[in-house]
Amino acid sequence: MSHNEILENLDNIVKQAICELQKINDHTAIEQWRVKYFGRKGLFADITSAIPHISPELRSETGKKINTAKKQLMQMFEEKLGFLKNKEASDTDVNFTIPGIIPDVPNLHPITLVSREIVGIFQKLGFGIHVGPEIETDFYNFEALNMPENHPARDMWDTFYLDEDRKLLLRTHTSPVQVRVMQKLSPPLRIIAIGKTFRRDAFDASHSPVFHQVEGLMVDKNITFSNLKAVLIFFLRELFGSRVRVRFLPSYFPFTEPSAEISISCVICGGKGCQTCGNAGWLEILGAGMVHPEVFRKSGLDCKNITGFAFGAGIERIAMLKYGIDDIRQFYLNDKRFIQQFG
Amino acid sequence: MKYSLNMLGEYVNGKWSEDQVEHWLQMLGLNPLFTRKNNDVFIELEIPSNRGDLLSALGIIRALTPYMEIEPKYPDIDLQEKSARKLSVEIESPDDCFFYAGRVIESVSIGPSPEWLRERVESAGFRSVNNVVDITNLVFWEFGQPLHAFDIDLLKEKIIVRRAREGEEIITLDGTKRNLCNDVLVISDSEKPVALAGIMGGINSEVGPNTKNLFIESAFFNPVRVRRGAKYLGMCTDASARFEKGITPSLIVPALDRCCWLINKLCGGSTGPVCVVGDIRAEKRVIRLSMEKISNYLGCEIQKDFVITTLERLGCCVERQDDIMEITIPDSRNDIEIDADIIEEIAKYWGYDRIPESMPLVCSPTMSSYEYSRLDALKDVFIRLGFSEVINLGLGSEFQYEDTNSKSIEIINPLSRNYAFLRCSMIQGLLQNIQDNSNRKVDMLSIFEIGSIYKKTSSGFDEKPSAGIAVMNTYNLYYFKGIIEYILRKIGYGITSQRIVRKEYGRVIEFLQKEDTVGRILIPCDDILKKYDVEKQEIFLAEIMLQDFVLNGFSEIRYKEPPRAMPIRRDLSLIVPNSVDWRKVEEMLLKSIPELEKIEIFDIYIGRNIPAQSTGVAIRMFFPNPESSITKQDIEHIIANIIEIMQKHFSITLRQ
Ligand SMILES: [Zn+2]
């Protein structure tokens, strides 16, 4: 073989070796490759053995070129070997198909979550958050709300009493907080109250003797029914999405006049009619109205120069619609598997 | 009361469509439910408790009049008095019965109602009884004035309206014997009660097949008296529901006359002159209202023509005096008392949906109460510690696990024994949550609840905010105790001492701030674990009183620069006899070793390799070393000293 023939041969061997090496994917193949090129009878041994046959002045140059090529291939060989080792190790040391372990993430109760969402919306409008006692007096729960003794409207709230005179009771709504706040703070004021309320209703899918309410009150000079509508539509669209439609219809509460019952277009069917909305397309969500002058009077405010509106809603009902819960009892079972869904 | 669309249609001149009527009733907020049956439509309505007037056909028609283009048609009355017979009526308590009217009808023939009448009373929701009773019910349905027919031959001498005497009784028309009391108003003859006034008649004066002569009653009983009597007796009838809301005085006699006229038409007989006692309160209710007030209240302009037409079609009389209208309210509308009530009527017929929305201008925002914001923020502290929130009803059967000197509050009219008491501690609810979850095969639980607890005190009822905490298989006692101690510190409680108390339900660690117990850890005894079916689980509970926290808030955060010098740290693993009060050990070491800054406990073990009645405690000691003056030899010396003090005073040894 001449010098040129050797170099040409070397070139081919290197090209072929690289090409073959790239395709190799396991240990057996790479060992065969090593033997083929660098084994005792391998191609490099072959080509090296040809060196003594060429002219002496070209020997050292040819030798260098062979060595360089050999080094280059050996390096590629080592890299490939390392890659194969890693690959096999990672395939067998760890099973990546086993799912990760999800941590036990602590959760707030959905009633707290919904309450916070409501609070957040009203805080944007400058409302303060207030609370009141759950054990109430007849005065705050009924009388100050324009329901004197023997008022037929008292039948709207089936009440738990704590004394024989029926003067102490578990509040049936959060409306007493209105009166307590108006006795303490002077207008202008805007507040919401959130808390537990109690009614003598037996448990079923939509009734619970204990539930939560949010109550709102805004009092100032020149507050109008039109303001009530704007605030409540803002609230409901923030809570249920901007596409929700809101309907106001007349209603009756002794402590508001005019009174309204407010419904939203069904969040399940969008108003077409379904089981949740009783095929009506509407869901009752809020009771509201302009504060009755008698309530101002009983709270010690001069009603000549002020007007106001008030509203109330059940937190559980809102949560049920928001999350698609169909049984109010779920809230009080405190099943970890229930609470964990709201994280 | 039920309304059939066909029947209502007989009381208007002209035609209306079903859709119109449904829409109008909807607009009035009466939530109509229409059911179709045999070529007719039956309407169920939700009548607000202040609208007695809507408990009658004429009332409903009147309420629809402002929408209608057709006119209402009133029932015919053409009564001829053909007899002179009267019955003597006395009202013993005029406060209970404002007005009483009646007529005697002689020689009637009682029998089944003709088909048209039977159909009508049945579609109005009554059971057909006989011609006379059916007529009283039909007229009641039309006018909203309850009427009652007595067999006058069963009455002794006269009618007396009076309170029942204690011990009196009556069998009512439904066949039930009623024991009466002084709260109940009765109609009696000279001997005995013959009817419960405004509620139900008595069987002893019932109109039956053999009745010949009648006395028809039409009266105005005090709504409160009827309500209290019905409540006492546990009864609610169509008549009592109507009387409770106040009937329409001006319809008392017309309803009586129409009833007698129909009886004469259908059952024959001759009617006598009207017997009247009392005085119809004919006070004229006039309310003054300006157009300006309407627009200020509603926030939009409504045309004056609309206002006046609407009110007039509702039966009001509107007199215009410059800007102020003087509006006379019909006596059927006892719900309209103030100007806001009239504004509501106008808004209703105008349509709430037609009132535009406008955001109120920003007035100064109102501050929140600390009670809400602090308790709400505390929930996040628990969440950060890995606890999930639960909310319990707070009602239950008699509560235990309270501290000794408090009593739980009882509901006097509970739904059931299971929900008869208000909780005076959070513990019971949390134990229930643990049991329920354990039954559902949840094996680890860390929960908290923030809410009110209620106690009877010498001065009355007491309601206080409280936090309950419970763990199942998530923490050992010392980690749990650490969490409780962290929270107590976080909410600003300076614990001055702690006390171990043995109770029948387990051992309790009480945390005291001066004299007051502000927190408790409960290690439930085996009996309790067994009772809740969780014997194999590691369970700890705690309760923290939050009243002071609500007043004072979280402990204040004050920045302190961390020491720049590298502190020296040394760990020791100790065996501490359980009789040792660890706080004393810490106290003594900090006092006797000036270089020692603090001691932290970083691990605790019991059981294997630890002698009985002892606890393995791993401590970490910090020596600040600000000038790097403590040498290695110094520290060895100090440690030796510490070990010696612990050994000598507390018999604490090093763990091998
Ligand atoms: Zn729907």
Side-chain angles (χ1 to χ4, degrees):
Chain A
M1 259 196 294
S2 74
H3 167 69
N4 280 342
E5 276 172 345
I6 290 176
L7 288 188
E8 198 177 313
N9 208 354
L10 179 66
D11 217 33
N12 287 337
I13 290 172
V14 169
K15 271 185 196 155
Q16 193 190 342
I18 290 174
C19 184
E20 283 178 24
L21 188 63
Q22 274 168 353
K23 288 178 189 148
I24 284 171
N25 225 351
D26 62 74
H27 272 285
T28 326
I30 202 163
E31 181 55 20
Q32 280 167 1
W33 182 90
R34 192 190 63 80
V35 171
K36 176 173 176 190
Y37 292 96
F38 298 109
R40 255 183 331 116
K41 292 176 178 172
L43 289 171
F44 269 87
D46 232 28
I47 203 163
T48 312
S49 66
I51 292 176
H53 304 291
I54 60 172
S55 59
E57 66 273 21
L58 291 173
R59 270 182 210 161
S60 103
E61 194 200 325
T62 312
K64 265 184 200 158
K65 281 202 169 144
I66 291 174
N67 268 337
T68 313
K70 206 172 166 183
K71 258 187 200 156
Q72 185 200 348
L73 283 180
M74 280 311 282
Q75 197 188 334
M76 290 173 78
F77 167 77
E78 294 294 343
E79 275 170 23
K80 187 79 182 188
L81 202 62
F83 168 77
L84 285 179
K85 262 192 190 147
N86 276 339
K87 179 170 159 275
E88 268 163 40
S90 58
D91 281 355
T92 52
D93 289 7
V94 181
N95 184 343
F96 290 107
T97 64
I98 295 172
I101 295 164
I102 292 164
D104 219 349
V105 180
N107 282 118
L108 286 168
H109 195 282
I111 287 174
T112 299
L113 292 173
V114 170
S115 300
R116 285 187 173 184
E117 206 172 335
I118 294 168
V119 164
I121 296 167
F122 282 103
Q123 275 177 332
K124 280 194 229 174
L125 298 173
F127 281 65
I129 325 302
H130 284 254
V131 291
E134 290 160 15
I135 296 179
E136 262 300 0
T137 61
D138 181 85
F139 175 80
Y140 285 106
N141 198 73
F142 290 122
E143 207 182 315
L145 296 168
N146 195 25
M147 277 177 278
E149 221 190 316
N150 291 315
H151 196 287
R154 287 186 175 213
D155 288 351
M156 289 159 78
W157 297 273
D158 225 338
T159 311
F160 285 123
Y161 288 96
L162 303 178
D163 64 340
E164 291 298 335
D165 296 341
R166 306 208 156 197
K167 288 292 166 207
L168 284 170
L169 45 83
L170 292 172
R171 66 173 176 195
T172 57
H173 42 192
T174 39
S175 307
V177 186
Q178 286 182 30
V179 181
R180 289 179 174 276
V181 169
M182 284 193 281
Q183 284 180 337
K184 217 163 49 186
L185 307 174
S186 45
L189 53 90
R190 41 179 93 183
I191 59 123
I192 62 168
I194 279 192
K196 247 186 197 174
T197 51
F198 303 79
R199 288 192 198 164
R200 208 171 166 281
D201 290 333
F203 268 120
D204 64 30
S206 50
H207 292 91
S208 163
V210 179
F211 62 103
H212 292 72
Q213 260 198 343
V214 55
E215 182 84 13
L217 173 73
M218 181 162 183
V219 181
D220 199 354
K221 285 175 200 146
N222 307 322
I223 294 291
T224 65
F225 192 81
S226 160
N227 294 154
L228 173 158
K229 282 188 72 175
V231 168
L232 293 182
I233 289 174
F234 174 80
F235 164 59
L236 291 170
R237 295 217 167 122
E238 286 275 301
L239 193 62
F240 289 106
S242 57
R243 284 165 63 190
V244 85
R245 282 169 293 128
V246 182
R247 185 180 73 175
F248 289 74
L249 283 177
S251 187
Y252 169 64
F253 305 105
F255 36 93
T256 51
E257 192 74 35
S259 303
E261 166 200 299
I262 295 140
S263 309
I264 53 168
S265 51
C266 180
V267 289
I268 311 290
C269 65
K272 282 186 219 83
C274 70
Q275 212 182 345
T276 304
C277 59
N279 281 322
W282 294 97
L283 298 163
E284 269 181 57
I285 198 91
L286 282 163
M290 300 296 288
V291 178
H292 195 288
E294 195 56 28
V295 178
F296 284 138
R297 214 166 289 135
K298 282 276 186 341
S299 310
L301 292 184
D302 175 12
C303 56
K304 277 233 169 62
N305 298 310
I306 52 164
T307 49
F309 66 74
F311 57 87
I315 307 276
E316 280 84 349
R317 172 141 175 94
I318 293 173
M320 287 166 86
L321 293 174
K322 267 191 88 76
Y323 301 125
I325 301 163
D326 57 6
D327 192 328
I328 196 169
R329 288 169 287 203
Q330 282 292 345
F331 291 102
Y332 297 101
L333 293 177
N334 292 308
D335 187 333
K336 186 179 180 181
R337 298 163 304 177
F338 171 77
I339 293 169
Q340 255 178 354
Q341 293 179 32
F342 303 94
Chain B
M1 207 142 334
K2 284 200 300 186
Y3 299 100
S4 106
L5 195 62
N6 287 348
M7 247 171 101
L8 279 179
E10 290 171 16
Y11 299 85
V12 289
N13 287 306
K15 285 235 170 291
W16 56 23
S17 82
E18 181 188 330
D19 287 350
Q20 272 179 322
V21 175
E22 186 172 14
H23 178 68
W24 294 335
L25 292 168
Q26 184 88 56
M27 292 286 288
L28 288 174
L30 300 176
N31 292 333
L33 189 72
F34 278 48
T35 330
R36 201 169 297 278
K37 211 170 116 190
N38 312 331
N39 292 326
D40 200 352
V41 175
F42 289 88
I43 309 169
E44 273 176 73
L45 299 172
E46 285 174 25
I47 309 287
S49 63
N50 64 336
R51 291 298 300 272
D53 64 303
L54 294 180
L55 295 173
S56 68
L58 291 176
I60 301 273
I61 304 278
R62 172 59 75 194
L64 297 179
T65 308
Y67 295 120
M68 304 190 313
E69 273 153 18
I70 50 180
E71 296 301 316
K73 188 170 95 188
Y74 289 97
D76 299 330
I77 306 171
D78 185 17
L79 179 65
Q80 312 288 322
E81 285 175 15
K82 286 188 177 158
S83 116
R85 184 167 167 193
K86 289 183 91 171
L87 182 70
S88 156
V89 177
E90 288 168 21
I91 299 179
E92 217 177 79
S93 49
D95 283 347
D96 295 331
C97 177
F98 305 134
F99 185 76
Y100 193 101
R103 285 180 190 272
V104 178
I105 309 177
E106 289 178 301
S107 324
V108 293
S109 28
I110 309 291
S113 290
E115 188 64 15
W116 69 267
L117 179 58
R118 198 176 55 76
E119 253 175 38
R120 272 167 178 67
V121 291
E122 278 174 359
S123 66
F126 300 98
R127 193 172 51 86
S128 176
V129 179
N130 57 43
N131 44 12
V132 166
V133 172
D134 288 0
I135 288 167
T136 60
N137 282 333
L138 177 70
V139 178
F140 175 28
W141 179 85
E142 289 175 334
F143 285 76
Q145 170 63 41
L147 300 158
H148 187 62
F150 296 95
D151 182 332
I152 197 170
D153 300 323
L154 299 174
L155 300 179
K156 278 261 183 323
E157 291 176 63
K158 58 183 171 186
I159 288 283
I160 306 167
V161 185
R162 61 164 171 87
R163 295 287 188 92
R165 302 189 226 294
E166 296 294 333
E168 272 186 326
E169 52 185 46
I170 185 173
I171 298 172
T172 41
L173 288 175
D174 57 1
T176 311
K177 187 162 114 188
R178 314 276 176 179
N179 296 312
L180 308 179
C181 77
N182 195 250
D183 242 6
V184 181
L185 189 70
V186 296
I187 310 297
S188 90
D189 61 13
S190 59
E191 283 179 348
K192 58 191 182 296
V194 293
L196 301 173
I199 304 173
M200 195 182 274
I203 225 157
N204 55 10
S205 58
E206 186 182 9
V207 173
N210 302 320
T211 299
K212 287 279 166 285
N213 304 307
L214 301 170
F215 180 70
I216 311 291
E217 166 198 282
S218 182
F220 186 177
F221 301 114
N222 185 333
V224 172
R225 181 51 45 210
V226 174
R227 184 174 159 79
R228 294 188 58 150
K231 273 233 152 127
Y232 173 81
L233 294 165
M235 297 173 77
C236 179
T237 62
D238 287 326
S240 73
R242 182 66 193 92
F243 275 118
E244 275 185 23
K245 295 178 172 73
I247 48 95
T248 303
S250 61
L251 294 179
I252 299 172
V253 174
L256 175 65
D257 290 354
R258 172 154 165 89
C259 176
C260 294
W261 175 63
L262 284 174
I263 290 175
N264 289 154
K265 256 177 77 166
L266 257 68
C267 327
S270 48
T271 301
V274 63
C275 320
V276 168
V277 187
D279 173 24
I280 298 181
R281 310 195 155 186
E283 61 182 70
K284 207 167 99 170
R285 221 166 336 127
V286 178
I287 293 171
R288 293 156 63 87
L289 179 65
S290 66
M291 289 303 296
E292 194 194 352
K293 173 117 196 210
I294 299 175
S295 55
N296 284 347
Y297 220 77
L298 297 178
C300 71
E301 294 293 333
I302 291 177
Q303 292 123 18
K304 196 166 184 179
D305 280 355
F306 176 84
V307 171
I308 291 168
T309 315
T310 302
L311 291 175
E312 282 177 347
R313 289 196 62 89
L314 284 174
C316 298
C317 175
V318 184
E319 285 179 73
R320 282 147 263 184
Q321 278 190 353
D322 305 327
D323 280 347
I324 310 263
M325 294 176 284
E326 284 197 343
I327 302 155
T328 309
I329 310 301
D331 69 345
S332 60
R333 294 299 303 272
N334 56 13
D335 61 305
I336 299 181
E337 292 170 316
I338 56 168
D339 51 8
D341 296 325
I342 298 183
I343 296 174
E344 179 177 77
E345 290 305 305
I346 293 160
K348 244 192 252 181
Y349 289 99
W350 180 256
Y352 283 7
D353 281 337
R354 284 170 70 198
I355 297 171
E357 296 106 51
S358 69
M359 262 295 168
L361 295 175
V362 179
C363 65
S364 46
T366 306
M367 294 284 289
S368 292
S369 76
Y370 287 127
E371 186 162 1
Y372 175 81
S373 51
R374 285 175 177 159
L375 292 178
D376 194 56
L378 182 58
K379 291 181 178 178
D380 289 332
V381 173
F382 281 106
I383 292 288
R384 289 204 297 273
L385 289 165
F387 288 76
S388 279
E389 187 188 17
V390 295
I391 296 181
N392 285 294
L393 295 176
L395 306 179
S397 53
E398 196 149 18
F399 280 92
Q400 306 146 21
Y401 322 116
E402 70 237 43
D403 38 64
T404 43
N405 46 8
S406 61
K407 278 202 80 182
S408 41
I409 298 169
E410 192 174 356
I411 295 171
I412 62 162
N413 57 337
L415 273 172
S416 75
R417 296 315 302 164
N418 293 336
Y419 301 109
F421 288 88
L422 306 190
R423 68 178 169 204
C424 59
S425 156
M426 291 290 198
I427 300 293
Q428 195 146 331
L430 296 174
L431 275 170
Q432 191 62 55
N433 301 147
I434 285 179
Q435 178 182 20
D436 292 346
N437 276 289
S438 172
N439 286 346
R440 295 175 200 122
K441 304 290 173 281
V442 169
D443 54 6
M444 286 167 85
L445 202 63
S446 298
I447 51 175
F448 77 97
E449 177 173 13
I450 290 176
S452 291
I453 55 171
Y454 322 83
K455 285 172 190 173
K456 233 182 236 171
T457 63
S458 49
S459 57
F461 293 164
D462 194 22
E463 176 182 342
K464 283 190 177 129
S466 172
I469 307 108
V471 292
M472 173 172 71
N473 302 334
T474 47
Y475 292 105
N476 70 30
L477 177 63
Y478 294 101
Y479 279 102
F480 186 65
K481 189 164 178 251
I483 287 167
I484 302 306
E485 285 168 346
Y486 168 80
I487 293 166
L488 288 168
R489 201 181 316 148
K490 180 92 194 155
I491 63 176
Y493 288 3
I495 300 304
T496 46
S497 60
Q498 74 179 46
R499 189 160 66 193
I500 317 297
V501 191
R502 211 171 259 283
K503 303 257 187 181
E504 66 276 18
Y505 47 83
R507 280 181 290 174
V508 176
I509 308 171
E510 294 186 340
F511 296 92
L512 285 88
Q513 183 175 242
K514 298 203 182 93
E515 308 286 278
D516 301 329
T517 303
V518 291
R520 312 187 295 146
I521 290 177
L522 166 62
I523 303 128
C525 66
D526 290 347
D527 287 353
I528 294 298
L529 296 181
K530 203 172 279 173
K531 182 177 161 195
Y532 285 92
D533 214 8
V534 284
E535 294 143 278
K536 297 212 177 74
Q537 321 301 336
E538 190 177 20
I539 287 164
F540 304 107
L541 301 112
E543 183 158 28
I544 298 175
M545 312 303 144
L546 297 177
Q547 210 175 23
D548 288 353
F549 164 64
V550 165
L551 288 175
N552 304 318
F554 288 103
S555 63
E556 208 179 333
I557 297 174
R558 277 254 145 250
Y559 162 76
K560 218 164 55 192
E561 190 189 20
R564 285 165 196 245
M566 295 294 190
I568 298 171
R569 199 185 84 186
R570 282 289 184 280
D571 294 351
L572 284 178
S573 191
L574 309 172
I575 290 173
V576 183
N578 287 350
S579 55
V580 167
D581 182 342
W582 178 258
R583 286 165 306 164
K584 295 212 170 99
V585 180
E586 245 186 78
E587 207 176 289
M588 180 174 284
L589 290 177
L590 289 168
K591 215 162 69 186
S592 3
I593 314 286
E595 294 87 350
L596 179 62
E597 187 197 36
K598 63 171 176 176
I599 304 172
E600 278 176 7
I601 290 174
F602 68 94
D603 205 359
I604 289 173
Y605 19 77
I606 327 168
R608 226 148 57 92
N609 301 330
I610 306 292
Q613 305 298 319
S614 301
T615 306
V617 179
I619 61 167
R620 178 159 290 171
M621 296 166 290
F622 290 88
F623 306 89
N625 196 17
E627 271 96 39
S628 308
S629 54
I630 307 178
T631 65
K632 215 169 176 181
Q633 276 154 325
D634 291 342
I635 205 77
E636 296 314 326
H637 183 72
I638 290 169
I639 298 295
N641 200 0
I642 287 173
I643 294 170
E644 196 193 315
I645 290 172
M646 290 196 292
Q647 166 74 59
K648 194 171 142 203
H649 295 274
F650 302 103
S651 308
I652 294 171
T653 52
L654 285 186
R655 194 178 168 211
Q656 295 313 311

